[in-house]
Amino acid sequence: MCGIAGSLVWDKSNNEEYRNLNKVTSFLNHRGPNFSKVKKMKNIVLAHSRLAIIDLNNSANQPMFDTSGKFCITYNGEIYNFLEIKKNLIRKGVYFKTNSDTEVILESYKMWNEKCLNFFEGMFAFAIWDIKKQKLFVARDRIGEKPLFYYPYDGKTLNSGIIFSSEIRSLLKHPNVKFKISNQGVWDFLSLNYILGNSSIVEGVRKLEPAHFMIIEKNYFSKKKYWHL
């Protein structure tokens, strides 16, 4: 179990967001005690708390950049068939610097874009930042074993940006995320012992549904389902 977090905001200094994400990440350390890092880039800050299981080397720490330095990933989970995918990518000429499944996800996205999700057998929640295109790709596994919660940066629309985390508790440490219990969320939970759809117990906080991915660019947002039972 690892913890991931991130904050994407357009046309604003990232110094403040770097401090905010440090607060968020400090409440994810119980998910990953082996290593924690917050990485600031243009328009985005990505964070990760690592529980080292596959490839214990420090080179597999996250947020992780690809060999070109143009893509960055923060990821929680495990891809069970990553060695098989890795062999396929090596045959296509891809060079790997680690033995981690993290890098396999990153290189798979570079090779196949969102279609890379069709190859992954496992449990995961991850975010990949394309530095050149200024595009954020966020995805969750087919059944939804790994959690991912998000909140519009301005509390209104994702066109302004996004804040995301593995846990609601850590997400609430960001000053932009307002704590207000959702009446509908309470109704759902007391009625069904579960909160339906992409809602949560906190008003405005959404969960990315299982088997869905999101693409966020400046003035553009889309969410799609990539797998059906």
Tab-separated table of all heavy atoms in Angstrom, residues 84-121:
chain	number	residue	atom	x	y	z
A	84	GLU	N	5.514	-9.494	-18.058
A	84	GLU	CA	5.090	-9.830	-19.422
A	84	GLU	C	5.001	-8.579	-20.291
A	84	GLU	O	5.445	-8.569	-21.445
A	84	GLU	CB	3.728	-10.523	-19.360
A	84	GLU	CG	3.129	-10.871	-20.704
A	84	GLU	CD	1.729	-11.439	-20.579
A	84	GLU	OE1	1.385	-11.948	-19.488
A	84	GLU	OE2	0.979	-11.376	-21.563
A	85	ILE	N	4.422	-7.518	-19.739
A	85	ILE	CA	4.320	-6.246	-20.474
A	85	ILE	C	5.714	-5.674	-20.732
A	85	ILE	O	6.003	-5.147	-21.812
A	85	ILE	CB	3.464	-5.240	-19.688
A	85	ILE	CG1	2.055	-5.791	-19.477
A	85	ILE	CG2	3.409	-3.897	-20.407
A	85	ILE	CD1	1.212	-4.967	-18.526
A	86	LYS	N	6.575	-5.792	-19.735
A	86	LYS	CA	7.944	-5.267	-19.862
A	86	LYS	C	8.690	-5.944	-21.008
A	86	LYS	O	9.375	-5.284	-21.795
A	86	LYS	CB	8.692	-5.460	-18.548
A	86	LYS	CG	10.092	-4.859	-18.524
A	86	LYS	CD	10.713	-5.001	-17.147
A	86	LYS	CE	12.086	-4.345	-17.092
A	86	LYS	NZ	12.679	-4.425	-15.731
A	87	LYS	N	8.559	-7.273	-21.125
A	87	LYS	CA	9.213	-8.001	-22.213
A	87	LYS	C	8.709	-7.507	-23.566
A	87	LYS	O	9.494	-7.362	-24.526
A	87	LYS	CB	8.946	-9.495	-22.068
A	87	LYS	CG	9.679	-10.147	-20.899
A	87	LYS	CD	9.325	-11.624	-20.793
A	87	LYS	CE	10.009	-12.260	-19.594
A	87	LYS	NZ	9.627	-13.696	-19.445
A	88	ASN	N	7.422	-7.240	-23.657
A	88	ASN	CA	6.833	-6.727	-24.892
A	88	ASN	C	7.421	-5.362	-25.246
A	88	ASN	O	7.760	-5.089	-26.416
A	88	ASN	CB	5.312	-6.644	-24.736
A	88	ASN	CG	4.597	-6.305	-26.030
A	88	ASN	OD1	5.199	-6.289	-27.107
A	88	ASN	ND2	3.317	-6.017	-25.931
A	89	LEU	N	7.576	-4.509	-24.243
A	89	LEU	CA	8.121	-3.170	-24.466
A	89	LEU	C	9.600	-3.226	-24.835
A	89	LEU	O	10.059	-2.443	-25.689
A	89	LEU	CB	7.920	-2.312	-23.214
A	89	LEU	CG	6.472	-1.903	-22.924
A	89	LEU	CD1	6.347	-1.328	-21.518
A	89	LEU	CD2	5.992	-0.872	-23.946
A	90	ILE	N	10.338	-4.128	-24.209
A	90	ILE	CA	11.760	-4.271	-24.538
A	90	ILE	C	11.928	-4.689	-25.999
A	90	ILE	O	12.818	-4.209	-26.712
A	90	ILE	CB	12.428	-5.284	-23.589
A	90	ILE	CG1	12.537	-4.680	-22.177
A	90	ILE	CG2	13.821	-5.673	-24.099
A	90	ILE	CD1	13.056	-5.648	-21.133
A	91	ARG	N	11.046	-5.584	-26.464
A	91	ARG	CA	11.089	-5.995	-27.879
A	91	ARG	C	10.834	-4.822	-28.813
A	91	ARG	O	11.280	-4.828	-29.967
A	91	ARG	CB	10.062	-7.102	-28.131
A	91	ARG	CG	10.479	-8.475	-27.591
A	91	ARG	CD	9.603	-9.585	-28.156
A	91	ARG	NE	8.233	-9.489	-27.660
A	91	ARG	CZ	7.774	-10.135	-26.590
A	91	ARG	NH1	8.600	-10.926	-25.900
A	91	ARG	NH2	6.524	-10.018	-26.201
A	92	LYS	N	10.120	-3.823	-28.314
A	92	LYS	CA	9.833	-2.634	-29.114
A	92	LYS	C	10.925	-1.573	-28.974
A	92	LYS	O	10.788	-0.469	-29.492
A	92	LYS	CB	8.474	-2.050	-28.713
A	92	LYS	CG	7.294	-2.958	-29.051
A	92	LYS	CD	5.982	-2.334	-28.603
A	92	LYS	CE	4.798	-3.221	-28.931
A	92	LYS	NZ	4.612	-3.388	-30.392
A	93	GLY	N	11.974	-1.895	-28.205
A	93	GLY	CA	13.113	-0.985	-28.104
A	93	GLY	C	13.127	-0.100	-26.875
A	93	GLY	O	13.960	0.813	-26.788
A	94	VAL	N	12.246	-0.353	-25.915
A	94	VAL	CA	12.195	0.476	-24.711
A	94	VAL	C	13.306	0.064	-23.746
A	94	VAL	O	13.531	-1.136	-23.513
A	94	VAL	CB	10.821	0.352	-24.017
A	94	VAL	CG1	10.813	1.147	-22.718
A	94	VAL	CG2	9.718	0.836	-24.949
A	95	TYR	N	13.988	1.050	-23.202
A	95	TYR	CA	15.050	0.807	-22.214
A	95	TYR	C	14.505	1.091	-20.822
A	95	TYR	O	13.821	2.101	-20.597
A	95	TYR	CB	16.248	1.716	-22.498
A	95	TYR	CG	17.253	1.743	-21.367
A	95	TYR	CD1	18.148	0.697	-21.185
A	95	TYR	CD2	17.300	2.822	-20.483
A	95	TYR	CE1	19.070	0.710	-20.138
A	95	TYR	CE2	18.211	2.847	-19.437
A	95	TYR	CZ	19.090	1.786	-19.269
A	95	TYR	OH	19.980	1.804	-18.239
A	96	PHE	N	14.803	0.209	-19.871
A	96	PHE	CA	14.347	0.368	-18.493
A	96	PHE	C	15.530	0.596	-17.560
A	96	PHE	O	16.564	-0.067	-17.675
A	96	PHE	CB	13.564	-0.867	-18.035
A	96	PHE	CG	12.199	-0.988	-18.651
A	96	PHE	CD1	12.025	-1.650	-19.861
A	96	PHE	CD2	11.093	-0.432	-18.034
A	96	PHE	CE1	10.772	-1.758	-20.441
A	96	PHE	CE2	9.833	-0.537	-18.601
A	96	PHE	CZ	9.671	-1.195	-19.812
A	97	LYS	N	15.350	1.496	-16.621
A	97	LYS	CA	16.397	1.805	-15.641
A	97	LYS	C	16.130	1.165	-14.286
A	97	LYS	O	16.994	1.206	-13.400
A	97	LYS	CB	16.523	3.319	-15.481
A	97	LYS	CG	15.263	4.010	-14.975
A	97	LYS	CD	15.431	5.511	-14.869
A	97	LYS	CE	14.132	6.167	-14.365
A	97	LYS	NZ	14.254	7.639	-14.246
A	98	THR	N	14.919	0.607	-14.077
A	98	THR	CA	14.569	-0.029	-12.807
A	98	THR	C	13.928	-1.389	-13.076
A	98	THR	O	13.648	-1.751	-14.226
A	98	THR	CB	13.571	0.820	-11.996
A	98	THR	OG1	12.250	0.712	-12.582
A	98	THR	CG2	13.974	2.277	-11.952
A	99	ASN	N	13.661	-2.111	-12.005
A	99	ASN	CA	12.940	-3.379	-12.097
A	99	ASN	C	11.520	-3.250	-11.549
A	99	ASN	O	10.898	-4.242	-11.167
A	99	ASN	CB	13.695	-4.466	-11.321
A	99	ASN	CG	15.043	-4.775	-11.935
A	99	ASN	OD1	15.157	-4.949	-13.149
A	99	ASN	ND2	16.077	-4.834	-11.109
A	100	SER	N	11.005	-2.047	-11.516
A	100	SER	CA	9.719	-1.767	-10.884
A	100	SER	C	8.565	-1.851	-11.871
A	100	SER	O	8.734	-1.646	-13.075
A	100	SER	CB	9.735	-0.372	-10.259
A	100	SER	OG	9.798	0.619	-11.278
A	101	ASP	N	7.373	-2.132	-11.350
A	101	ASP	CA	6.175	-2.082	-12.187
A	101	ASP	C	5.761	-0.641	-12.451
A	101	ASP	O	5.043	-0.363	-13.404
A	101	ASP	CB	5.024	-2.883	-11.566
A	101	ASP	CG	4.670	-2.427	-10.153
A	101	ASP	OD1	5.483	-1.734	-9.515
A	101	ASP	OD2	3.579	-2.793	-9.678
A	102	THR	N	6.249	0.276	-11.619
A	102	THR	CA	5.964	1.708	-11.828
A	102	THR	C	6.458	2.163	-13.191
A	102	THR	O	5.740	2.818	-13.955
A	102	THR	CB	6.639	2.557	-10.738
A	102	THR	OG1	6.267	2.079	-9.458
A	102	THR	CG2	6.255	4.021	-10.873
A	103	GLU	N	7.693	1.821	-13.490
A	103	GLU	CA	8.283	2.236	-14.763
A	103	GLU	C	7.585	1.568	-15.937
A	103	GLU	O	7.478	2.154	-17.025
A	103	GLU	CB	9.775	1.922	-14.775
A	103	GLU	CG	10.511	2.560	-15.938
A	103	GLU	CD	12.006	2.301	-15.913
A	103	GLU	OE1	12.454	1.402	-15.162
A	103	GLU	OE2	12.726	2.989	-16.661
A	104	VAL	N	7.086	0.340	-15.741
A	104	VAL	CA	6.351	-0.354	-16.800
A	104	VAL	C	5.064	0.403	-17.128
A	104	VAL	O	4.700	0.550	-18.306
A	104	VAL	CB	6.040	-1.800	-16.385
A	104	VAL	CG1	5.091	-2.463	-17.385
A	104	VAL	CG2	7.327	-2.610	-16.278
A	105	ILE	N	4.361	0.899	-16.106
A	105	ILE	CA	3.165	1.704	-16.347
A	105	ILE	C	3.521	2.952	-17.142
A	105	ILE	O	2.853	3.313	-18.120
A	105	ILE	CB	2.503	2.104	-15.015
A	105	ILE	CG1	1.938	0.879	-14.305
A	105	ILE	CG2	1.383	3.130	-15.245
A	105	ILE	CD1	1.352	1.177	-12.943
A	106	LEU	N	4.583	3.612	-16.729
A	106	LEU	CA	5.003	4.858	-17.372
A	106	LEU	C	5.355	4.643	-18.836
A	106	LEU	O	4.898	5.384	-19.718
A	106	LEU	CB	6.190	5.435	-16.599
A	106	LEU	CG	6.619	6.871	-16.883
A	106	LEU	CD1	5.447	7.828	-16.772
A	106	LEU	CD2	7.746	7.280	-15.937
A	107	GLU	N	6.147	3.610	-19.121
A	107	GLU	CA	6.549	3.340	-20.498
A	107	GLU	C	5.374	2.811	-21.331
A	107	GLU	O	5.307	3.047	-22.539
A	107	GLU	CB	7.705	2.348	-20.528
A	107	GLU	CG	9.006	2.884	-19.942
A	107	GLU	CD	9.566	4.066	-20.726
A	107	GLU	OE1	9.254	4.190	-21.934
A	107	GLU	OE2	10.318	4.866	-20.139
A	108	SER	N	4.454	2.100	-20.683
A	108	SER	CA	3.261	1.627	-21.396
A	108	SER	C	2.399	2.799	-21.835
A	108	SER	O	1.845	2.807	-22.947
A	108	SER	CB	2.449	0.690	-20.493
A	108	SER	OG	3.163	-0.473	-20.177
A	109	TYR	N	2.265	3.797	-20.972
A	109	TYR	CA	1.484	4.981	-21.334
A	109	TYR	C	2.141	5.722	-22.491
A	109	TYR	O	1.449	6.197	-23.405
A	109	TYR	CB	1.339	5.893	-20.125
A	109	TYR	CG	0.629	7.192	-20.453
A	109	TYR	CD1	-0.736	7.216	-20.734
A	109	TYR	CD2	1.330	8.398	-20.498
A	109	TYR	CE1	-1.381	8.398	-21.054
A	109	TYR	CE2	0.692	9.581	-20.809
A	109	TYR	CZ	-0.660	9.578	-21.090
A	109	TYR	OH	-1.293	10.748	-21.405
A	110	LYS	N	3.456	5.828	-22.457
A	110	LYS	CA	4.165	6.489	-23.555
A	110	LYS	C	3.959	5.746	-24.873
A	110	LYS	O	3.870	6.363	-25.929
A	110	LYS	CB	5.653	6.586	-23.236
A	110	LYS	CG	5.987	7.576	-22.132
A	110	LYS	CD	7.429	7.428	-21.677
A	110	LYS	CE	8.413	7.615	-22.807
A	110	LYS	NZ	9.819	7.452	-22.347
A	111	MET	N	3.869	4.423	-24.796
A	111	MET	CA	3.745	3.607	-26.014
A	111	MET	C	2.319	3.589	-26.544
A	111	MET	O	2.085	3.689	-27.754
A	111	MET	CB	4.205	2.177	-25.706
A	111	MET	CG	4.144	1.214	-26.883
A	111	MET	SD	5.302	1.607	-28.222
A	111	MET	CE	6.875	1.289	-27.372
A	112	TRP	N	1.323	3.449	-25.639
A	112	TRP	CA	-0.055	3.201	-26.075
A	112	TRP	C	-1.069	4.241	-25.593
A	112	TRP	O	-2.262	4.072	-25.816
A	112	TRP	CB	-0.499	1.817	-25.603
A	112	TRP	CG	0.314	0.702	-26.173
A	112	TRP	CD1	0.426	0.360	-27.488
A	112	TRP	CD2	1.128	-0.241	-25.451
A	112	TRP	NE1	1.252	-0.730	-27.633
A	112	TRP	CE2	1.687	-1.129	-26.400
A	112	TRP	CE3	1.420	-0.432	-24.087
A	112	TRP	CZ2	2.544	-2.165	-26.034
A	112	TRP	CZ3	2.269	-1.470	-23.725
A	112	TRP	CH2	2.815	-2.324	-24.688
A	113	ASN	N	-0.631	5.299	-24.944
A	113	ASN	CA	-1.537	6.297	-24.371
A	113	ASN	C	-2.556	5.618	-23.455
A	113	ASN	O	-2.206	4.681	-22.745
A	113	ASN	CB	-2.211	7.109	-25.476
A	113	ASN	CG	-1.214	7.956	-26.247
A	113	ASN	OD1	-0.385	8.633	-25.645
A	113	ASN	ND2	-1.263	7.910	-27.553
A	114	GLU	N	-3.818	6.057	-23.474
A	114	GLU	CA	-4.800	5.494	-22.543
A	114	GLU	C	-5.106	4.022	-22.814
A	114	GLU	O	-5.605	3.313	-21.933
A	114	GLU	CB	-6.099	6.306	-22.556
A	114	GLU	CG	-6.845	6.302	-23.868
A	114	GLU	CD	-6.494	7.492	-24.738
A	114	GLU	OE1	-5.407	8.101	-24.502
A	114	GLU	OE2	-7.283	7.818	-25.642
A	115	LYS	N	-4.777	3.539	-24.009
A	115	LYS	CA	-5.007	2.125	-24.319
A	115	LYS	C	-4.097	1.201	-23.510
A	115	LYS	O	-4.307	-0.019	-23.486
A	115	LYS	CB	-4.815	1.878	-25.810
A	115	LYS	CG	-5.894	2.528	-26.670
A	115	LYS	CD	-5.697	2.209	-28.143
A	115	LYS	CE	-6.789	2.858	-28.990
A	115	LYS	NZ	-6.605	2.584	-30.434
A	116	CYS	N	-3.108	1.766	-22.833
A	116	CYS	CA	-2.235	0.958	-21.981
A	116	CYS	C	-3.038	0.263	-20.880
A	116	CYS	O	-2.662	-0.812	-20.402
A	116	CYS	CB	-1.138	1.818	-21.352
A	116	CYS	SG	-1.718	3.041	-20.138
A	117	LEU	N	-4.173	0.857	-20.496
A	117	LEU	CA	-4.997	0.298	-19.427
A	117	LEU	C	-5.551	-1.076	-19.803
A	117	LEU	O	-5.870	-1.881	-18.920
A	117	LEU	CB	-6.148	1.255	-19.098
A	117	LEU	CG	-5.725	2.624	-18.539
A	117	LEU	CD1	-6.916	3.572	-18.521
A	117	LEU	CD2	-5.138	2.478	-17.151
A	118	ASN	N	-5.657	-1.350	-21.091
A	118	ASN	CA	-6.158	-2.651	-21.534
A	118	ASN	C	-5.189	-3.781	-21.214
A	118	ASN	O	-5.587	-4.952	-21.178
A	118	ASN	CB	-6.432	-2.624	-23.042
A	118	ASN	CG	-7.499	-1.626	-23.420
A	118	ASN	OD1	-8.413	-1.362	-22.650
A	118	ASN	ND2	-7.387	-1.050	-24.609
A	119	PHE	N	-3.910	-3.441	-20.972
A	119	PHE	CA	-2.891	-4.459	-20.720
A	119	PHE	C	-2.725	-4.776	-19.234
A	119	PHE	O	-2.205	-5.835	-18.883
A	119	PHE	CB	-1.536	-4.001	-21.274
A	119	PHE	CG	-1.499	-3.847	-22.760
A	119	PHE	CD1	-1.776	-2.629	-23.360
A	119	PHE	CD2	-1.174	-4.920	-23.581
A	119	PHE	CE1	-1.731	-2.476	-24.733
A	119	PHE	CE2	-1.128	-4.786	-24.953
A	119	PHE	CZ	-1.409	-3.565	-25.545
A	120	PHE	N	-3.162	-3.862	-18.362
A	120	PHE	CA	-2.833	-3.990	-16.945
A	120	PHE	C	-3.781	-4.947	-16.220
A	120	PHE	O	-5.003	-4.740	-16.223
A	120	PHE	CB	-2.884	-2.623	-16.257
A	120	PHE	CG	-1.925	-1.613	-16.804
A	120	PHE	CD1	-2.195	-0.249	-16.722
A	120	PHE	CD2	-0.738	-2.019	-17.404
A	120	PHE	CE1	-1.307	0.684	-17.225
A	120	PHE	CE2	0.157	-1.083	-17.922
A	120	PHE	CZ	-0.126	0.271	-17.826
A	121	GLU	N	-3.198	-5.948	-15.594
A	121	GLU	CA	-3.941	-6.840	-14.708
A	121	GLU	C	-3.434	-6.583	-13.291
A	121	GLU	O	-2.294	-6.929	-12.968
A	121	GLU	CB	-3.721	-8.306	-15.104
A	121	GLU	CG	-4.248	-8.649	-16.486
A	121	GLU	CD	-3.911	-10.063	-16.888
A	121	GLU	OE1	-3.402	-10.817	-16.028
A	121	GLU	OE2	-4.150	-10.420	-18.058
